[in-house]
Amino acid sequence: MKTIDELLADGVSGKRVFVRADLNVPLADGTITDDGRIRAVLPTVKALADAGAKVVVASHLGRPKGAPDPAFSLLPAAERLGELLGAPVAFAQDTVGPAAHAAVDGLEPGQVAVIENLRFNPGETSKDDAERAEFADRLAALADVYVGDGFGAVHRKHASVYDLPARLPHYAGYLIAQEVGVLKKLTDDVKRPYVVVLGGAKVSDKLAVIDQLLGKADRLLIGGGMAYTFLKAQGHEVGISLLQEDQIPTVKEYMERAEKNGVELVLPVDVLVSPEFPDLKTKAPAQYTVVDADKIPADQEGLDIGPKTRELYASKLADAETVFWNGPMGVFEHPDYAEGTKAVAQALVDSDGFTVVGGGDSAAAVRTLGFDENAFGHISTGGGASLEYLEGKTLPGLAALED
């Protein structure tokens, strides 16, 4: 795929450059709680603006149902982008209507505009090719060149990700080029030992990537809610912990394959359990006990890995040359259940290997828990996209940039 450096070499002064970013930031009462994704696209936007382009930034935020919804407005993201750029950013209150055209027409070389949430238009996410194409045509009227830099959305066959690049000269931004380069290190000529840490709530979300990794990784460390399906598959009581009964046969098969392939599959040996889920708003102290993973009471729920498991996982990561981590080890949003996730993050920080934090909740966790982002080899902006790449899938947004 052609990169933004090639575009800049050809000259962009005065050209309208459409940047498909990922400004899908978490909001609490209209306030951004983690601006990592905005900062990730900053190098691309700044390089284009400094080169004299008229930069049109577009993104989705959340899951509005194809119509305007103030709760999902990109205005806070646009304002934060302006703060980070140190320059005013125009904001259009629609996607392809009069406001968008006025904002773009009003740009001088070197200036930036953000248009409203792309998902306010049903054509963005439509499964109907004609409806998506019509919206892509209208977006194309706002620009002369397309730069794809929203890595968190490249696994979606959406109008601004998949259809629009075909209508304009197209290039990969700095973020996408970096993300793809990192993922290639996890799939081509991997340095070993290669250790993968998987957590999060549902084992079903990770089945396809586990299937792929059973032939590639040296060790798989399992935590989070998904671990309880593995423990149940071993015949253990898991109480009222998160459990996907329908996935137990698949999990059993994966455990057998891991043993056959010589992949070390490591499960928690102890867990923190409680009869009730913690209050994540007040963060009131939780009542919990530490039990062995095969002795979870029938009326209690596992909410984090225990101290022995933290030590075990740190030891399994100590000699790794390559690490990929996706998914927290417990309910990290509550301080009493954050220690497992914190221990994995610290093990990555202490590692001499190439460490990748695979986006989503894992990326949010390392920031929430106060880790220096520069202490990791790479923090991905796209958890779902990263996983699908590792699964071996063709990602529509990357395919659209490759021709």
Side-chain angles (χ1 to χ4, degrees), residues 210 214 218 220 251-266:
I210 293 172
L214 287 175
D218 297 300
L220 278 174
V251 165
K252 282 183 176 178
E253 187 220 325
Y254 285 175
M255 292 165 79
E256 290 167 6
R257 271 179 55 201
E259 187 173 1
K260 181 181 176 183
N261 292 352
V263 176
E264 190 179 1
L265 199 155
V266 189

Side-chain angles (χ1 to χ4, degrees), residues 178-190 389-390 402:
Q178 180 188 33
E179 294 271 15
V180 171
V182 165
L183 288 169
K184 283 184 176 175
K185 287 186 180 181
L186 299 177
T187 52
D188 306 333
D189 194 26
V190 180
Y389 189 100
L390 294 181
E402 281 171 356

Side-chain angles (χ1 to χ4, degrees), residues 308-358:
K308 288 189 288 188
T309 306
R310 290 174 221 151
E311 288 186 20
L312 172 65
Y313 284 14
S315 72
K316 296 295 182 182
L317 288 161
D319 66 341
E321 289 292 330
T322 305
V323 181
F324 175 75
W325 171 34
N326 181 280
M329 296 293 99
V331 187
F332 75 91
E333 299 91 343
H334 192 285
D336 290 333
Y337 301 117
E339 292 303 315
T341 301
K342 194 181 293 183
V344 168
Q346 188 63 53
L348 266 67
V349 169
D350 294 341
S351 172
D352 292 328
F354 180 59
T355 58
V356 179
V357 180

Side-chain angles (χ1 to χ4, degrees), residues 161-184:
V161 176
Y162 179 74
D163 302 271
L164 182 55
R167 289 157 169 77
L168 295 168
H170 45 269
Y171 301 82
Y174 290 126
L175 176 61
I176 279 188
Q178 180 188 33
E179 294 271 15
V180 171
V182 165
L183 288 169
K184 283 184 176 175

Side-chain angles (χ1 to χ4, degrees), residues 262-327:
V263 176
E264 190 179 1
L265 199 155
V266 189
L267 298 176
V269 294
D270 63 342
V271 296
L272 274 59
V273 298
S274 174
E276 59 184 12
F277 197 81
D279 188 328
L280 299 184
K281 284 191 176 180
T282 65
K283 307 281 172 64
Q287 298 298 314
Y288 66 86
T289 52
V290 179
V291 300
D292 289 344
D294 59 354
K295 293 183 173 60
I296 297 173
D299 61 348
Q300 301 207 29
E301 176 178 12
L303 296 165
D304 193 16
I305 58 173
K308 288 189 288 188
T309 306
R310 290 174 221 151
E311 288 186 20
L312 172 65
Y313 284 14
S315 72
K316 296 295 182 182
L317 288 161
D319 66 341
E321 289 292 330
T322 305
V323 181
F324 175 75
W325 171 34
N326 181 280

Side-chain angles (χ1 to χ4, degrees), residues 220-250:
L220 278 174
L221 314 184
I222 306 293
M226 64 184 285
Y228 301 102
T229 302
F230 280 83
L231 292 170
K232 186 73 171 180
Q234 287 185 324
H236 302 312
E237 171 66 60
V238 296
I240 57 173
S241 306
L242 277 172
L243 176 65
Q244 290 186 283
E245 293 255 17
D246 60 324
Q247 302 299 340
I248 288 175
T250 304

